[in-house]
């Protein structure tokens, strides 16, 4: 009896051990299977994402290539402004022509419609004014060439402009002045490269209607002969180092008064105006400048 009981107990213990080992193997195997499935699913998801990204990049690149301009054709040459009618390049109103900052660059004076009174050709690339530029346009009253790169004006360029009253050549590269029209009332040559040798002694002498004369920011060494009619004279920022009694007044007439001149600017010059008190006794107000 005792022997049978021991055998029965041993059998029960052996069966329990076998069942426990089988369960552990099952759980371990199932765990590995789950990990393999998860890894496979994750690999599939990444592959799908990479495919979508690749397809998206391909479509994006294709779209960019489709939108890109076709440069394979021949380049079109840029037209020369001189080949086009002036009123296509500029704004033409009744009697007025506005050619400001023309694109493509305007390098010469445009051909003007007949009976033009006012020409505004500012801030272009005009280099030279020739004697033929204005032809028979004798009706011009105002010309403005401010902000070009004019370095040369041929003699006689303004000879036929008998009605011209206002002329601006400011902000150019002029070293000398041409003969100016006799009826000018205002002349502006500020910000150029003018020297005294480039301005004839009688350049302004015969301009008996001139009221405003602007010659500032140049390289003048002396004050030119100024007509009696001038009211405003700007000579600041030049190289003027001396004046005489006859510069503004008359040394042989101590009673002479210059009634029209009411503004003279000579600041920014090396001259000490305080050393020339007799040079300003005919003026109603002293020039602006350095006195010490």
């Amino acid at each position: 009896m005792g022997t049978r009981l021991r055998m029965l107990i041993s059998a029960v213990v052996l069966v329990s051990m076998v069942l426990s080992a089988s369960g552990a193997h099952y759980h371990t195997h199932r765990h590995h299977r789950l990990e393999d499935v998860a890894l496979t699913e994750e690999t599939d998801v990444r592959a799908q994402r990479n495919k979508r990204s690749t397809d998206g990049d391909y479509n994006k690149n294709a779209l960019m290539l489709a939108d890109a301009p076709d440069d394979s054709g021949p380049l079109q040459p840029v037209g020369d402004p001189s080949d086009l009618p002036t009123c296509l390049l500029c704004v033409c109103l009744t009697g007025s022509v506005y050619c400001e900052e023309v694109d493509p660059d305007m390098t010469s004076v445009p051909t003007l419609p007949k009976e033009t009174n006012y020409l505004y050709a500012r801030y272009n690339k005009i280099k030279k004014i020739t004697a033929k530029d204005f032809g028979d346009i004798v009706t011009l009253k105002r010309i403005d060439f401010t902000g070009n790169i004019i370095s040369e004006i041929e003699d006689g360029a303004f000879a036929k402009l008998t009605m011209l009253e206002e002329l601006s050549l400011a902000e150019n590269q002029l070293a000398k002045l041409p003969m100016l029209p006799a009826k000018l009332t205002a002349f502006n040559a500020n910000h150029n490269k003018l020297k005294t040798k480039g301005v004839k002694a009688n350049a302004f002498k015969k301009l008996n209607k001139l009221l405003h004369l602007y010659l500032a920011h140049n390289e003048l060494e002396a004050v030119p002969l100024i007509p009696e009619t001038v009211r405003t004279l700007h000579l600041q920022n030049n190289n003027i180092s001396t004046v005489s009694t006859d510069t503004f007044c008359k040394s042989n007439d101590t009673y002479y008064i210059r009634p029209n001149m009411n503004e003279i600017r000579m600041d920014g010059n090396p001259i000490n105006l305080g050393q020339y008190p007799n040079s300003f006794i005919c003026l109603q107000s002293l020039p602006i400048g350095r006195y010490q």
Side-chain angles (χ1 to χ4, degrees):
M1 181 69 179
T3 302
R4 290 180 178 179
L5 180 60
R6 284 194 297 271
M7 291 177 63
L8 180 61
I9 292 173
S10 297
V12 170
V13 171
L14 180 61
V15 170
S16 298
M17 292 176 62
V18 170
L19 290 176
S20 176
S22 299
H25 176 74
Y26 170 77
H27 286 297
T28 301
H29 179 71
R30 185 172 182 273
H31 177 70
H32 288 314
R33 287 289 305 274
L34 290 175
E35 287 184 343
D36 292 340
V37 170
L39 181 61
T40 302
E41 290 178 351
E42 182 178 357
T43 303
D44 292 340
V45 170
R46 289 181 179 176
Q48 291 177 1
R49 287 179 179 174
N50 290 337
K51 185 176 185 301
R52 285 198 298 268
S53 175
T54 303
D55 292 342
D57 289 342
Y58 173 81
N59 293 334
K60 182 178 179 182
N61 291 335
L63 182 61
M64 290 176 65
L65 289 173
D67 290 341
D70 183 10
D71 294 332
S72 61
L75 294 175
Q76 298 297 324
V78 177
D80 186 346
S82 62
D83 295 335
L84 297 174
T86 298
C87 292
L88 288 181
L89 290 170
C90 309
V91 177
C92 297
L93 302 176
T94 304
S96 300
V97 178
Y98 298 86
C99 302
E100 301 190 0
E101 298 182 277
V102 174
D103 185 21
D105 292 340
M106 176 176 286
T107 58
S108 60
V109 178
T111 302
L112 299 177
K114 290 185 177 181
E115 299 183 359
T116 299
N117 299 127
Y118 306 100
L119 169 62
Y120 301 90
R122 296 179 288 204
Y123 303 105
N124 290 294
K125 297 292 190 299
I126 298 173
K127 302 175 182 178
K128 181 180 179 180
I129 301 175
T130 71
K132 298 180 180 180
D133 283 335
F134 299 108
D136 297 324
I137 311 296
V138 297
T139 55
L140 280 165
K141 296 181 179 179
R142 180 185 300 160
I143 297 175
D144 192 344
F145 284 122
T146 299
N148 282 273
I149 53 175
I150 300 169
S151 60
E152 181 183 357
I153 301 177
E154 290 184 358
D155 291 336
F158 305 120
K160 295 182 179 180
L161 304 181
T162 57
M163 298 178 64
L164 193 64
E165 297 177 352
E166 298 180 24
L167 175 61
S168 178
L169 300 171
E171 299 177 39
N172 280 282
Q173 298 179 14
L174 292 170
K176 63 178 183 177
L177 293 178
M179 184 176 293
L180 300 171
K183 290 188 178 181
L184 279 184
T185 60
F187 177 66
N188 188 344
N190 286 344
H191 292 277
N192 275 277
K193 299 179 180 180
L194 294 174
K195 295 185 178 182
T196 297
K197 65 180 181 180
V199 181
K200 296 179 180 179
N202 60 348
F204 309 109
K205 183 179 180 179
K206 296 181 179 180
L207 306 184
N208 54 17
K209 294 184 180 295
L210 190 63
L211 302 176
H212 309 287
L213 179 57
Y214 304 101
L215 299 171
H217 298 275
N218 280 284
E219 300 172 19
L220 298 172
E221 298 91 0
V223 179
L225 187 61
I226 307 300
E228 296 265 347
T229 54
V230 171
R231 298 177 182 176
T232 306
L233 175 63
H234 285 189
L235 292 167
Q236 68 268 28
N237 296 305
N238 277 280
N239 293 327
I240 299 170
S241 58
T242 184
V243 293
S244 69
T245 305
D246 292 314
T247 300
F248 300 109
C249 305
K250 295 181 179 180
S251 59
N252 58 356
D253 187 355
T254 56
Y255 296 98
Y256 170 74
I257 299 295
R258 191 162 194 156
N260 296 321
M261 187 83 75
N262 53 34
E263 181 182 334
I264 303 175
R265 287 195 58 180
M266 297 187 67
D267 45 307
N269 283 279
I271 186 173
N272 181 353
L273 298 176
Q275 296 179 355
Y276 306 92
N278 294 330
S279 297
F280 315 119
I281 57 175
C282 66
L283 301 176
Q284 298 188 62
S285 59
L286 291 174
I288 298 172
R290 183 169 64 91
Y291 284 87
Q292 293 182 348

